[in-house]
Amino acid sequence: MGNVIRPGDAVIDATVGGGLDTLFLSKAVGPQGTVFGFDVQQHALDKAAQRLASEPAPDNVRLFLAGHETMAEHIPSRFHGSMAGAMFNLGYLPGSDQSVITRPASTCAAIDAALGLLRKGGVISTVLYTGHPGGEDEARSVESHCASLPMDTARIMRCTMHNQPTAQTRILFLEKR
Ligand SMILES: C[S@@+](CC[C@H](N)C(=O)[O-])C[C@H]1O[C@@H](n2cnc3c(N)ncnc32)[C@H](O)[C@@H]1O
C-alpha cells in the first residue's frame, strides 16, 4: 500500500476498528489527502478518533458509522473514480464483542463498491482471518467472488504463509485495471 498511495490521495479504511490502519493511511496521504473510514460500531470509531487525536497525525480523516457496503453513498462524488486505495481488515475487533464480525455478502458488496471508486492502478488490500467462527466461510466467499472478477476489472494476488499451512490469515491484493 505504501508504494501505491501518495501524499494528497484519497483512500478508504473499510474496517476502522481501533484505528491502527486509519492512522497509517492518514499519515501516508498527509494533510492534503483524505481518509474515509467506516465501521458499524460507535465505540470502535471513538477508539480510532482517540488514537488519531493522540498522535501527530494530520486532520484528514472522516469517519462514518456505516457499513462499508454503503461507502459509495457516503464518499462525495468528486472522489469517485480517483481514489488510490482501500484497506479491508476483516473479522472482529480484538478485545470487543466477537459476534460483531464482517460478513460475506456485505464484504463482497463493499469490495465491488471500492473497485468502482478507485482509479486505474489503485489497490485494495483484504486481510482474511479464518480463526474465528464464520471467518473461513467469509474468506472462501471473498476469494471465490474475487476469482470471478474479469481480468480486465482487476489483477488479483492471493498471499498465504507458504511454510505454515495452518496459518489463519490470508491476504488478497486487487489492483484495479
Ligand atoms: C479486524 S477489525 C478492524 C481492525 C482495524 N483495522 C484496526 O486497525 O484496529 C474489523 C472491524 O470491522 C468492523 N465491521 C464489521 N462489519 C462491518 C461493516 N459491514 N462495515 C464496516 N465495518 C464493519 C467491526 O466492527 C470491526 O471493528
Side-chain angles (χ1 to χ4, degrees), residues 33-151:
T34 311
V35 183
F36 295 94
F38 297 88
D39 205 291
V40 291
Q41 300 191 80
Q42 182 63 53
H43 78 95
L45 296 179
D46 292 344
K47 202 170 161 185
Q50 250 178 2
R51 186 188 299 281
L52 291 163
S54 69
E55 291 274 341
D59 181 16
N60 59 2
V61 177
R62 293 169 66 178
L63 296 175
F64 296 91
L65 179 62
H68 41 215
E69 62 279 11
T70 66
M71 63 174 71
E73 296 161 33
H74 295 284
I75 296 174
S77 55
R78 69 176 183 281
F79 292 100
H80 293 200
S82 66
M83 304 190 76
M87 292 181 82
F88 290 76
N89 193 342
L90 301 176
Y92 65 88
L93 179 60
S96 181
D97 181 353
Q98 294 194 14
S99 70
V100 183
I101 55 173
T102 51
R103 305 274 175 186
S106 43
T107 300
C108 292
I111 289 171
D112 289 347
L115 270 175
L117 294 169
L118 260 52
R119 64 188 179 213
K120 281 186 185 170
V123 169
I124 299 172
S125 64
T126 306
V127 182
L128 307 159
Y129 297 103
T130 63
H132 62 280
E136 182 62 40
D137 279 353
E138 182 181 41
R140 287 187 187 177
S141 295
V142 170
E143 286 169 341
S144 149
H145 178 68
C146 289
S148 75
L149 292 172
M151 283 174 65

Side-chain angles (χ1 to χ4, degrees), residues 13 19-28 51-52 55-58 61:
D13 186 349
L20 279 170
D21 299 326
T22 323
L23 177 63
F24 164 77
L25 291 170
S26 170
K27 289 180 174 173
R51 186 188 299 281
L52 291 163
E55 291 274 341
V61 177

